[in-house]
Amino acid sequence: RRMKISIYGDRFMKSDIFEEVISKKLNGYDLQFIKKDIEWPDGPFHNDYGTEEFSKIKEYFGSEEDVINTVQNNEILITDLAPITESILSKIPNLKFIGVSRGGPVNIDIEACKKNNITVVNAPGRNASAVAEFTIASILSETRLVTKGHQSMVNGEWRGDLYRFDITGKELSELTIGLVGYSHIGKKVRDLLIPFGCKIIFSDPYVEEDEIDKKNDINKVSKDELISSSDVISIHARVTKETEKFFADLEFKNMKKGSYFINTARGPLVDYDALLKYLKSGHLGGAALDTFEIEPLPKNHALRSQDNVTLTPHIAGASIKTVYYAAEVIAEDLKNYLENKGLTNKIC
């Protein structure tokens, strides 16, 4: 029989690429695709929990009508940012499988899917290598004064003083790098940092040292010890109730004077007012920030006027590899589902 597949894509996880990858994986199946690409990331997704029917989901883009018109009567939905709520599921009763190409599918009401016997699979670690590379770039941009040098040139200045002994930056081999959160991304950052010869420590209550850590003298430490010992802190935790404002006034106060803070994870992990306070005072040497409490970052936000920050518009996870890898992972589990085999990344 003909298999109808709905794809709710966007301008990053493009529906055409999902179709391309799924068609190759399901070679031999008679496939028909119903596709929609929303305008994200040109427009921001809903960053926090929604209201009413959308109160259990966040980081979604689109409306109930958008989803219903895309899914129609089909059994399969492949998506990145579609909002999936109990209300929406009640209007698409034939839906049985959702493949969501994200590590944390917070745009999906998982409990509602369980109640409706809908299988959900995801793509954990889809952008781990992209974020890890971006993190290294962010660290270097601050510690080696790349951002300050660039900004001075844009402003028509020639800051030869950045070469001065008392101003220039240290090499990574001289620094202790603290990683907060040590799952897919944290360990990828570690792997990229090892050749630089820096001292690496990590803090994560759910992860123990592995063989790579032991071989390279990488130690698990408490959050407090990491904060007081690190020249650079890079955060890679998920947002949960226990990690909201995980770095606030006390944490920044206890960081080493002149140290750097890197956030390529999520905005709610950080109290940005507190961070700004310690950047302005000079206690912190600088920060590289890819995510914020409010996105887009308001045009008049004080962070925009700081000369010791590198700011980017939530792009750390964006790479061509991320798109194809995520599509491959979802396509593989879709094949497993259709052939009644075990699912690799089943959530429910």
Side-chain angles (χ1 to χ4, degrees), residues 98-149:
I98 300 174
V100 55
S101 59
R102 307 182 63 182
V106 291
N107 54 310
I108 310 288
D109 185 338
I110 298 300
E111 291 306 312
C113 289
K114 288 178 181 177
K115 191 187 301 184
N116 287 276
N117 296 313
I118 295 171
T119 298
V120 180
V121 300
N122 70 325
R126 70 165 187 174
N127 60 10
S129 62
V131 175
E133 285 188 358
F134 199 94
T135 299
I136 303 303
S138 299
I139 293 171
L140 291 170
S141 291
E142 277 301 310
T143 61
R144 297 303 306 280
L145 310 184
V146 174
T147 298
K148 282 186 177 179

Side-chain angles (χ1 to χ4, degrees), residues 5-23 33-42 70 78-81 99 101-102 126 318-328 330-331:
I5 298 174
S6 294
I7 303 178
Y8 187 102
D10 48 60
R11 293 174 182 172
F12 177 59
M13 293 298 309
K14 296 174 66 67
S15 60
D16 285 348
I17 293 175
F18 274 128
E19 179 181 2
E20 172 193 337
V21 173
I22 290 169
S23 296
F33 294 93
I34 295 174
K35 299 184 294 183
K36 176 181 179 65
D37 280 339
I38 55 173
E39 66 180 30
W40 184 84
D42 294 350
T70 304
I78 307 298
T79 189
D80 186 32
L81 291 174
S101 59
R102 307 182 63 182
R126 70 165 187 174
S319 73
I320 301 301
K321 178 181 176 180
T322 293
V323 175
Y324 277 97
Y325 174 78
E328 288 280 355
I330 296 301

Side-chain angles (χ1 to χ4, degrees), residues 18-252:
F18 274 128
E19 179 181 2
E20 172 193 337
V21 173
I22 290 169
S23 296
K24 288 179 181 177
K25 186 69 67 175
L26 299 182
N27 184 30
Y29 282 79
D30 184 9
L31 303 176
Q32 179 181 344
F33 294 93
I34 295 174
K35 299 184 294 183
K36 176 181 179 65
D37 280 339
I38 55 173
E39 66 180 30
W40 184 84
D42 294 350
F45 57 47
H46 195 288
N47 198 41
D48 208 341
Y49 289 102
T51 58
E52 299 178 352
E53 291 91 348
F54 289 72
S55 64
K56 294 181 180 179
I57 63 171
K58 60 181 178 178
E59 296 185 12
Y60 59 85
F61 193 112
S63 66
E64 185 169 298
E65 183 181 12
D66 289 335
V67 177
I68 293 168
N69 288 341
T70 304
V71 176
Q72 299 181 16
N73 295 317
N74 295 344
E75 176 184 342
I76 295 164
L77 170 64
I78 307 298
T79 189
D80 186 32
L81 291 174
I84 301 296
T85 65
E86 191 160 12
S87 173
I88 289 173
L89 292 177
S90 70
K91 299 176 177 70
I92 44 176
N94 292 337
L95 185 66
K96 298 299 178 190
F97 178 95
I98 300 174
V100 55
S101 59
R102 307 182 63 182
V106 291
N107 54 310
I108 310 288
D109 185 338
I110 298 300
E111 291 306 312
C113 289
K114 288 178 181 177
K115 191 187 301 184
N116 287 276
N117 296 313
I118 295 171
T119 298
V120 180
V121 300
N122 70 325
R126 70 165 187 174
N127 60 10
S129 62
V131 175
E133 285 188 358
F134 199 94
T135 299
I136 303 303
S138 299
I139 293 171
L140 291 170
S141 291
E142 277 301 310
T143 61
R144 297 303 306 280
L145 310 184
V146 174
T147 298
K148 282 186 177 179
H150 166 77
Q151 197 59 52
S152 72
M153 298 292 281
V154 170
N155 293 337
E157 304 170 296
W158 180 273
R159 288 202 56 186
D161 65 310
L162 296 180
Y163 213 109
R164 278 172 40 174
F165 179 85
D166 58 329
I167 295 178
T168 194
K170 291 183 177 180
E171 296 182 21
L172 293 191
S173 61
E174 303 174 81
L175 303 179
T176 296
I177 313 293
L179 305 177
V180 179
Y182 208 55
S183 186
H184 292 93
I185 295 171
K187 288 189 174 181
K188 286 276 189 183
V189 174
R190 169 201 66 186
D191 294 344
L192 294 177
L193 283 173
I194 287 172
F196 284 97
C198 48
K199 171 65 179 171
I200 303 168
I201 56 178
F202 74 91
S203 179
D204 189 321
Y206 306 105
V207 180
E208 298 302 323
E209 296 168 11
D210 62 19
E211 291 305 312
I212 296 175
D213 296 324
K214 293 171 184 175
K215 180 180 177 183
N216 291 280
D217 194 28
I218 297 170
N219 303 123
K220 176 178 178 176
V221 299
S222 69
K223 179 186 174 186
D224 289 345
E225 184 179 345
L226 182 143
I227 287 170
S228 63
S229 303
S230 299
D231 299 296
V232 178
I233 294 176
S234 185
I235 191 165
H236 302 285
R238 284 199 180 281
V239 177
T240 64
K241 288 183 178 179
E242 63 182 327
T243 61
E244 285 187 9
K245 301 288 175 69
F246 206 47
F247 272 74
D249 193 275
L250 182 62
E251 286 76 18
F252 293 124

